[in-house]
């Protein structure tokens, strides 16, 4: 994947993460792109805002995309390595690629996805790390709740 394109798409997910933080939620954002580069859906972690433990950023973007005939060739872009729940979504629906802003704060299931044929693009984006590490430092109890600890 073209690195410039990956960073452009990551900007969409980062905007969602910032909005989530401003709403008092967990700053994780995601976007789902079609093979031709069309934005299908975008979303943010809304567990806190909606009181819904299943509303992670990736699931919000997936839901916003609506029903697709196939997810082959699509790219899920997320500011943070996807948890097992969101990794399962990627695998279940055959999403072809995951672009990850960072995996330093949380190393989710992206290694497992790669083992099963999903292309992984890890950007190690400094803004994603800053946003998430600041949140973990300031709201450790909420972070632990989000990751199921």
């Amino acid at each position: 994947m073209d690195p410039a394109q990956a960073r452009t798409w990551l900007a969409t997910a980062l905007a969602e993460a910032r909005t989530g933080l401003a709403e008092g939620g967990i700053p994780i954002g995601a976007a789902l792109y079609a093979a031709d580069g069309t934005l299908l859906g975008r979303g943010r972690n809304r567990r806190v805002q909606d009181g819904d433990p299943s509303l992670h950023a990736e699931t919000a973007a997936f839901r916003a995309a609506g029903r697709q005939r196939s997810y082959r060739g699509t790219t899920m872009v997320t500011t943070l390595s996807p948890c097992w729940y969101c990794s399962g979504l990627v695998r279940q629906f055959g999403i072809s690629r995951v672009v990850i802003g960072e995996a330093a704060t949380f190393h989710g299931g992206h290694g497992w996805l790669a083992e099963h044929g999903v292309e992984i693009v890890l950007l190690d984006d400094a803004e994603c790390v800053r946003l998430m590490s600041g949140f973990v430092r300031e709201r450790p109890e909420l972070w632990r709740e989000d990751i199921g600890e």
Side-chain angles (χ1 to χ4, degrees), residues 3 7 10 13 16 31 42 45 48-49 55 58 60 64 66 79 90-91 94 105 107 109 120-121 133 136-137 141:
R7 292 210 176 267
L10 179 62
E16 288 291 327
R42 59 191 291 163
N45 184 307
V48 174
Q49 298 93 313
L55 201 43
E58 297 88 344
T79 57
V90 167
R91 182 95 195 282
T105 306
H107 192 285
I120 301 298
V121 178
S133 61
V136 171
R137 188 174 47 257
E141 74 293 342

Side-chain angles (χ1 to χ4, degrees), residues 64-139:
R67 183 176 169 215
Q68 304 294 313
R69 185 172 177 88
S70 171
Y71 296 89
R72 304 269 181 240
T74 61
T75 300
M76 179 66 76
V77 182
T78 180
T79 57
L80 186 65
S81 179
C83 69
W84 287 109
Y85 169 63
C86 295
S87 294
L89 177 134
V90 167
R91 182 95 195 282
Q92 174 71 30
F93 290 96
I95 293 170
S96 299
R97 178 188 302 130
V98 179
V99 173
I100 301 166
E102 67 106 342
T105 306
F106 177 77
H107 192 285
H110 69 266
W112 175 76
L113 288 171
E115 290 171 9
H116 289 89
V118 176
E119 180 186 350
I120 301 298
V121 178
L122 180 55
L123 298 176
D124 291 320
D125 182 80
E127 175 63 12
C128 290
V129 172
R130 186 198 64 73
L131 191 64
M132 205 59 226
S133 61
F135 176 78
V136 171
R137 188 174 47 257
E138 293 169 18
R139 301 288 311 271

